[in-house]
Amino acid sequence: MDVVGKLWGFCHTMRHDGIDYGDYIEQLTYLLFLKMADERDIELPSYSEIEESSGSIVAVPCEWQYLRKQSGTQLLVHYSKALTELGRHPGILGNIFAGAQSKFTNPVNLARLVQLVDETDWTALDTDIKAAAFEGLLEKAAAEGKKGAGQFFTPRVLIDLMVRCIKPDPRAKRDFSISDPACGTGGFLVAAYEWLKGETQGALDRSLAKRVRTSTYYGQELVQRPRRLALMNMYLHQVEPQITLGDSIYDEPTKKQFDVILTNPPFGTKGANQAPSRDDFVVQTSNKQLNFVQHIMTLLAPGGRAAVVVPDNVLFAIQAGDVFEILMEDCDLHTVLRCPRGTFSPYTEGTQTNVIFLTKGRPTERVWIYDARANVPKITKKSRPLTPSHFAEFERCFGDDPFGASRRRESDSSEGRWRSFTLDEIKERHYKLAGFRWLRDEEFGNVDELPEPEELITEAMAELQLALDDLADIQALVENTGNGGIA
């Protein structure tokens, strides 16, 4: 059953109603929830309105069966009122519908989407099928929308790799918790749960199953729409995560710490044009990515582990050395994966990325770097897509220990992509990990692999923004010195 094709096909019709891809999936989220609540006999609230014929106040149900019987203008009116009422309620219901608004102006389109959703018995579908269908729609929306999509969509191949390396296993201890402080549509949280299901074959005892379902998965998201989609994404996996809406960097951090953090913070270095006022940030900078690294150090519990996607420019920014020096004092930054060019194509052209793996509670003595980029043709969405084979050797080199303590040898890589560097060598480079390159990259000399103009522009803009942020940090430092802030 091609659920994705069926629902996505109608999305193109919706474009004529002024509804973009993101809006479409958001509206679909509301309708899917209402339909599945009906299939599970979940009682939903009602809203009050005055009946025209009698003038009396009547309760109008928000349930699916009432919605599907409406038509014309009445359908549009009822749908809008139902969304508002549902957003007022506590729990996952209120979280999914918080601030929800109808985007429909044509009742024919709304009626058609209601009909499409109504044709499928969603609760009868296997959980994996429902979840895969929803994730498929998210991926299509990210690919079609392209610009800015990378902020909340990470390629599933990369997510699965990070999860397998980190092994986020809630069976380790009673209060084990997993977090993504920039969770987008919930890809890392979903993958972490699916990894657990695969490890246990779905066989969890009752108490563990309840804990996993309600108090294991956490997240934070700046934007309402991706947060809403993340909640629905997890709900389709029968998990109720705790995902807060807010700014991970500029808001007061939670007191809770986590055993595992898996995240891809938003690309770009521009923050709120000023350094956040946080006592836990030792380095004051307006560089958003560097602040996310500091934020992760705060959130990670002693003994906890993390895998974090970071762009190249974070590894050589002016204050990168200061941040990574502190990081290596408090954490074992044991592994860096240099991702292939185009890993995030077509979502964020021109952004070169890495994954850093770290364990909190012991200092760094040696960093292992795997170069999966040099002499690897650029990833493209259609002709050369990202596949597990791009990371297969890295995964073998990484080893089975999620804390990075497996026995490692440079000879584990047949092409010399795997090397280690001592802390002294890293100090000589002022803790800037971007400088460690040992493979001659023949791809730079390949005319067929020259970047597209859009990619070059994106990369140039990122470098300019990085330079502006660095200048702002220097200006702040000079002003602070002039005011007697530095002895």
Side-chain angles (χ1 to χ4, degrees):
M1 178 182 181
D2 185 11
V3 180
V4 175
K6 174 182 174 181
L7 294 173
W8 188 253
F10 188 58
C11 179
H12 298 292
T13 302
M14 306 289 286
R15 297 277 288 170
H16 298 298
D17 199 16
I19 296 177
D20 65 21
Y21 299 109
D23 285 337
Y24 174 68
I25 295 182
E26 192 171 39
Q27 300 301 307
L28 182 61
T29 295
Y30 305 148
L31 296 173
L32 280 174
F33 188 97
L34 293 175
K35 178 63 161 61
M36 289 191 295
D38 177 67
E39 293 170 355
R40 294 172 177 171
D41 294 323
I42 296 174
E43 186 175 346
L44 296 179
S46 301
Y47 63 88
S48 300
E49 70 175 13
I50 299 175
E51 190 178 52
E52 290 186 9
S53 59
S54 65
S56 58
I57 297 176
V58 295
V60 181
C62 294
E63 277 108 1
W64 180 260
Q65 291 302 323
Y66 185 86
L67 176 71
R68 65 188 290 272
K69 294 175 184 176
Q70 307 307 305
S71 62
T73 303
Q74 177 56 31
L75 174 61
L76 291 177
V77 172
H78 169 70
Y79 179 59
S80 294
K81 289 183 177 180
L83 293 183
T84 300
E85 183 62 33
L86 291 167
R88 293 174 177 156
H89 285 257
I92 193 167
L93 178 67
N95 283 329
I96 288 179
F97 288 93
Q101 293 181 327
S102 172
K103 298 292 184 177
F104 291 93
T105 58
N106 187 337
V108 174
N109 284 335
L110 175 54
R112 177 58 181 145
L113 187 55
V114 168
Q115 180 185 349
L116 280 174
V117 172
D118 198 45
E119 288 172 356
T120 300
D121 186 353
W122 295 92
T123 52
L125 288 178
D126 184 81
T127 299
D128 292 337
I129 295 176
K130 288 197 294 280
F134 194 73
E135 286 185 78
L137 287 169
L138 292 175
E139 182 173 6
K140 279 183 174 291
E144 293 288 346
K146 292 186 182 180
K147 186 175 182 181
Q151 69 177 312
F152 59 80
F153 190 86
T154 306
R156 188 58 189 261
V157 170
L158 184 59
I159 289 177
D160 287 342
L161 167 77
M162 293 164 64
V163 168
R164 288 194 302 272
C165 289
I166 287 292
K167 295 180 172 59
D169 197 339
R171 296 172 295 176
K173 63 177 187 176
R174 184 177 296 275
D175 58 349
F176 192 94
S177 58
I178 302 161
S179 175
D180 180 353
C183 74
T185 53
F188 281 104
L189 299 180
V190 166
Y193 176 69
E194 288 183 342
W195 175 87
L196 175 65
K197 282 180 59 181
E199 290 293 303
T200 61
Q201 301 299 309
L204 300 174
D205 65 61
R206 184 174 299 179
S207 62
L208 177 59
K210 181 179 180 181
R211 173 163 62 84
V212 166
R213 191 174 65 252
T214 61
S215 57
T216 296
Y217 301 96
Y218 294 78
Q220 184 158 348
E221 173 54 40
L222 178 64
V223 182
Q224 178 67 273
R225 176 186 286 173
R227 173 184 180 252
R228 193 191 318 282
L229 298 179
L231 289 165
M232 187 64 181
N233 207 354
M234 292 295 280
Y235 178 77
L236 289 171
H237 287 80
Q238 298 180 330
V239 176
E240 297 184 17
Q242 299 182 42
I243 300 176
T244 56
L245 183 67
D247 192 316
S248 292
I249 300 303
Y250 289 90
D251 292 348
E252 186 71 22
T254 175
K255 301 297 182 184
K256 183 174 177 61
Q257 292 183 306
F258 303 95
D259 299 286
V260 164
I261 292 176
L262 293 155
T263 190
N264 171 23
F267 290 160
T269 56
K270 187 176 181 181
N273 298 318
Q274 62 181 17
S277 299
R278 285 182 49 171
D279 295 336
D280 57 318
F281 284 9
V282 178
V283 178
Q284 295 298 304
T285 176
S286 58
N287 185 304
K288 182 169 58 179
Q289 286 283 347
L290 288 177
N291 283 328
F292 256 105
V293 172
Q294 296 191 90
H295 181 57
I296 288 163
M297 283 192 278
T298 295
L299 291 185
L300 204 57
R305 54 197 187 273
V308 186
V309 178
V310 296
D312 275 10
N313 53 37
V314 169
L315 301 183
F316 60 72
I318 283 183
Q319 290 185 288
D322 298 333
V323 172
F324 278 88
E325 180 178 5
I326 295 166
L327 173 67
M328 292 185 196
E329 290 174 357
D330 295 342
C331 304
D332 180 9
L333 199 170
H334 50 80
T335 311
V336 176
L337 167 63
R338 190 169 290 147
C339 297
R341 279 184 293 273
T343 291
F344 281 79
S345 294
Y347 316 121
T348 48
E349 296 286 354
T351 301
Q352 310 301 343
T353 54
N354 310 266
V355 181
I356 59 174
F357 296 84
L358 55 98
T359 300
K360 185 174 179 177
R362 62 176 189 245
T364 301
E365 296 179 357
R366 180 180 295 272
V367 177
W368 287 82
I369 301 177
Y370 187 92
D371 190 343
R373 185 181 307 165
N375 302 312
V376 175
K378 180 178 179 290
I379 303 300
T380 61
K381 185 65 178 176
K382 294 182 179 179
S383 60
R384 287 197 300 265
L386 190 70
T387 67
S389 64
H390 282 98
F391 302 121
E393 186 180 79
F394 165 74
E395 195 168 352
R396 291 194 296 273
C397 291
F398 186 94
D400 290 331
D401 191 293
F403 299 95
S406 295
R407 183 181 178 185
R408 295 172 168 182
R409 298 178 297 271
E410 291 186 353
S411 60
D412 291 340
S413 171
S414 60
E415 298 180 342
R417 297 183 178 278
W418 185 230
R419 281 204 179 177
S420 69
F421 300 90
T422 65
L423 185 61
D424 286 339
E425 290 176 300
I426 294 167
K427 285 180 180 178
E428 290 176 4
R429 300 288 183 96
H430 307 290
Y431 294 91
K432 295 188 177 182
L433 298 173
F436 291 97
R437 299 181 186 275
W438 60 96
L439 294 176
R440 178 180 173 83
D441 193 350
E442 303 295 340
E443 288 296 316
F444 278 126
N446 186 347
V447 177
D448 293 333
E449 294 299 324
L450 290 176
E452 295 293 328
E454 181 184 7
E455 185 176 343
L456 291 171
I457 291 170
T458 302
E459 191 168 0
M461 289 176 65
E463 298 304 324
L464 285 171
Q465 185 59 58
L466 181 67
L468 289 173
D469 286 344
D470 286 341
L471 287 172
D473 290 336
I474 292 171
Q475 181 181 15
L477 185 64
V478 169
E479 291 175 353
N480 191 30
T481 304
N483 293 329
I486 297 178

